[in-house]
Amino acid sequence: MGRYKFTWVLPLTFILGSFLTPVTRAESISYGPAARFFVDMPLSVLELINRSNRMDMLDYYAADSIYHAPNGMEGFSYLEKVTPVYVKLSLTPVSTMSVSVLPLKKDTIYQCIYTLGSDTQAHDSEIKLYDRNYHELPVNKFITLPELNDFFNIPSKGKKEKISLIEQIIPFPTVTYTFDPDSYVLTARLTSEEIIGKDEYEKISYLLKPEIKYIWNGKRYELQKSLK
């Protein structure tokens, strides 16, 4: 993204007459570890929004106002939700990002979920995990991501044929992941129906599970059993 031009704006604290340094401003943020992780993300993790604008976004949010920060796509990004363990923001009109804090026994993992989609493109998410020093961690160490067939209740009778039909209709599955910071539940939803034809979708929709849920157990995500 080096070709994009960043637009700098005066920080809110300067507008209000404060001459706090960036370090002091960062320390003044009282949201918790998720917000601090978001502010200090290196460009290798989040290049779209510079650090100063991230701090401005949080300053405005603290004042019950939404700041639309200039980003590297010559558009604007803004915060949607901030809690001590969770930050969600709109990056562009077709993309969002969330930062979640996942506690371990003696450490912390930071989860970033990037989701891209529009009216003409099925929504699709990517999960990335980091340690406190922004080193990327292997996702499969902490969750077994679902395969296409995991999203369907496939009876044993005619199973092979039904699997073949599903794979034929959905050759490139798209999945969104959303995190609930209150319950530490991660929800996966198959979104391929957003772009496949109605007639084709109806051939398999009766087999489709609404969602798959995982819960963080302090070590990794485990599949949440159905209440049925």
Side-chain angles (χ1 to χ4, degrees):
M1 295 186 183
R3 65 182 182 278
Y4 297 121
K5 179 181 179 181
F6 285 97
T7 304
W8 294 82
V9 297
L10 289 174
L12 174 62
T13 47
F14 183 86
I15 295 172
L16 296 177
S18 172
F19 293 92
L20 297 175
T21 65
V23 172
T24 304
R25 288 179 60 209
E27 291 174 348
S28 71
I29 296 171
S30 59
Y31 294 101
R36 289 194 294 271
F37 188 85
F38 166 66
V39 166
D40 291 331
M41 279 180 166
L43 293 180
S44 60
V45 177
L46 181 60
E47 187 179 6
L48 197 63
I49 311 169
N50 64 57
R51 188 174 186 275
S52 178
N53 282 346
R54 295 177 213 168
M55 289 191 290
D56 289 343
M57 293 164 76
L58 288 165
D59 285 344
Y60 273 86
Y61 195 92
D64 294 323
S65 181
I66 300 300
Y67 173 54
H68 289 70
N71 61 42
M73 295 288 289
E74 298 185 356
F76 298 91
S77 304
Y78 60 90
L79 291 170
E80 295 183 6
K81 183 175 181 178
V82 179
T83 77
V85 297
Y86 183 76
V87 171
K88 184 179 180 183
L89 62 151
S90 171
L91 289 173
T92 72
V94 296
S95 63
T96 63
M97 185 189 79
S98 66
V99 177
S100 311
V101 179
L102 303 177
L104 295 172
K105 186 175 181 180
K106 296 182 179 180
D107 206 345
T108 302
I109 291 176
Y110 295 87
Q111 170 184 269
C112 295
I113 300 177
Y114 302 89
T115 301
L116 179 68
S118 67
D119 292 340
T120 58
Q121 178 182 357
H123 288 75
D124 197 21
S125 296
E126 180 182 17
I127 298 176
K128 292 194 174 186
L129 302 176
Y130 299 91
D131 65 17
R132 62 179 66 250
N133 296 313
Y134 299 94
H135 298 136
E136 192 168 351
L137 304 172
V139 173
N140 59 8
K141 181 180 178 180
F142 299 97
I143 184 173
T144 301
L145 295 175
E147 301 287 343
L148 174 60
N149 293 338
D150 294 330
F151 287 97
F152 294 87
N153 291 305
I154 305 175
S156 55
K157 184 178 180 180
K159 182 175 183 178
K160 185 176 180 181
E161 291 76 13
K162 287 183 174 63
I163 290 176
S164 178
L165 178 62
I166 290 169
E167 292 176 345
Q168 177 184 343
I169 293 175
I170 309 178
F172 305 106
T174 52
V175 178
T176 59
Y177 294 92
T178 55
F179 181 78
D180 180 356
D182 295 322
S183 62
Y184 283 85
V185 168
L186 181 73
T187 301
R189 292 186 178 90
L190 186 68
T191 60
S192 302
E193 73 273 11
E194 295 177 359
I195 56 171
I196 63 178
K198 180 179 179 181
D199 292 341
E200 291 293 286
Y201 176 66
E202 288 180 348
K203 294 178 183 178
I204 57 174
S205 61
Y206 70 100
L207 299 171
L208 181 66
K209 298 176 184 177
E211 57 195 18
I212 298 175
K213 291 181 177 289
Y214 300 84
I215 188 165
W216 182 255
N217 64 13
K219 296 181 180 179
R220 72 189 316 270
Y221 280 112
E222 61 181 15
L223 188 65
Q224 191 174 55
K225 301 298 182 182
S226 172
L227 297 179
K228 292 183 180 181

